[in-house]
Amino acid sequence: MKSLNPEINGVTGDEFNSISTTDPNSNHVYFRNRSEYVDPDPGHTFEAIYEQVYGVPWQQTTSSASPAVAGSNKVATMNGFAQQAESIEKGMSETVMNGFRPESIPVYKELVSEFAVCDRWFSSIPSLTQPNRLFIHSATSNGEIINDTKKLIEGYPQKTIFESLDEAGCSFGIYYQYPPSTLFYRNLRRLKYIGNFHQFDLNFERHCKQGKLPNYVVIEQRYFDTILLPGNDDHPSHDVSEGQSFVKKVYEALRASPQWNETLLIIIYDEHGGFYDHVPTPTSGVPSPDDIVSPAPYNFQFDRLGVRVPCLMISPWIERGTVLHGPSGPYPSSEFEHSSIPATVKKIFNLKQFLTKRDAWAGTFETILTRTSPRTDCPVTLPDPEKMRERLEREAERLTEFQQELVQMAATLNGDCYKDIYPHKLVENMSVPDAIKYCEDGFQRFLTGCENAKKNGVHESEIVVLTNNIPTELKTKKTLAHKIFSCLACNNV
């Protein structure tokens, strides 16, 4: 996007990585603009990102704050992307050292030209999807840097921005296309919040048209890819044109809404996916959210951020072609990262407390709204994207790690988490269509259980736990069941 606006800190084509960071004669792989259809998925685990950022492989003896290179002083060299990619698959360095031409992602091209892009937004931690998504709504991952499926049984316990909004009398809504990943938070499974979840295809455009959108809205993508309903989350190997169509649909519904002049839309990625970036990740002055250290062998202290990710900001209160760089506070070391979202929500809605020390530190972006009156020239429609390639039959492929986690979460909602197949055997040979049906059925069963619980007078603070799939021997051990769950609100639904 730098070709559209030179003020954007983007790539020029002069950037490169060496195939080997230790061999001075190693071939250079220059950054190019030939991305089209990405497959397979590059590495973006904690270990992979460490090598990408510091240029050396992660070792168990490496501390969270220092790379395993003598005298490096924690410098993020950003020179290990090609080397790390080649360690996964020969030739993958070409994949991670390429980006999309603006013309190939026309929806983003238009939004960057018409509204704002933040060119210094980092993922909250140098790790995977789910821990970073936890930061978006709670400013912490509760000590997690990996995707811990076992923790889905009880759900993540930390307070979220949703609860802060609710306490202040503000409304929120989550619009999902498959069972929402926000249910990874245990507290959002409470009866009082079930009505805040809305099926996107049935409700979003209608709520926009009626002017009934709540104060804070989260829109979740389709994480599964089928011939009839292709994935639109931009995750390899999904066609990014589907993600462009999804953003176009969201934007045009908001633009036509009577609430348009009250709206700020943020488009964000949870992490960088293993793709190259030249901007060094912040490695100092980053506070731990809650002083929790991740389990061994990583012992990560949450004292540095992850790689930069794209962030677009859309509102009639934003001037055309705005570029937002780093924040001006609240601390000298503050940065824009995922915790900036709850931090900004707190500021806009005058909420009482921060969630953690991380959102108290993160920069806020309400300053992007610089106009004294809303624009009237915002485009009503966005360009139509072109497919990157013909649709292929991919439904028999193995589920991605995130897709497996969604299935395993559905198992915690429908009671299958008590079976011997949970968590790994459940997804071992599951096809994409089977996974979709399992998730939809499991979530619907959970919703039905919640409705029945409400009719039976169960208090809104309780969480429905479906127990008809619990083996008999476990049902008799009530003390164990109560250790796992705070309550069994609804037996044998």
Side-chain angles (χ1 to χ4, degrees), residues 91-138:
M92 188 181 278
S93 59
E94 293 289 341
T95 298
V96 303
M97 297 298 293
N98 265 288
F100 291 97
R101 293 176 295 106
E103 294 74 23
S104 63
I105 43 176
V107 172
Y108 282 176
K109 178 184 177 183
E110 183 81 354
L111 292 176
V112 167
S113 300
E114 288 289 339
F115 299 101
V117 60
C118 177
D119 67 355
R120 194 173 174 84
W121 189 294
F122 299 91
S123 52
S124 296
I125 55 173
S127 193
L128 296 160
T129 289
Q130 188 52 34
N132 273 296
R133 283 180 176 250
L134 293 172
F135 268 87
I136 292 174
H137 305 302
S138 64

Side-chain angles (χ1 to χ4, degrees), residues 301-363:
Q301 298 174 28
F302 297 88
D303 52 3
R304 56 186 174 91
L305 301 181
V307 179
R308 193 175 62 151
V309 295
C311 176
L312 305 182
M313 300 184 180
I314 297 97
S315 174
W317 298 89
I318 297 175
E319 297 287 1
R320 292 184 78 254
T322 297
V323 181
L324 181 63
H325 303 299
S328 57
Y331 296 92
S333 64
S334 293
E335 299 281 2
F336 288 123
E337 55 109 327
H338 298 331
S339 302
S340 294
I341 292 178
T344 304
V345 170
K346 175 190 179 298
K347 195 166 188 177
I348 288 176
F349 293 103
N350 195 29
L351 306 182
K352 290 183 179 180
Q353 296 176 324
F354 289 106
L355 296 169
T356 70
K357 288 185 289 185
R358 182 65 72 85
D359 60 320
W361 167 86

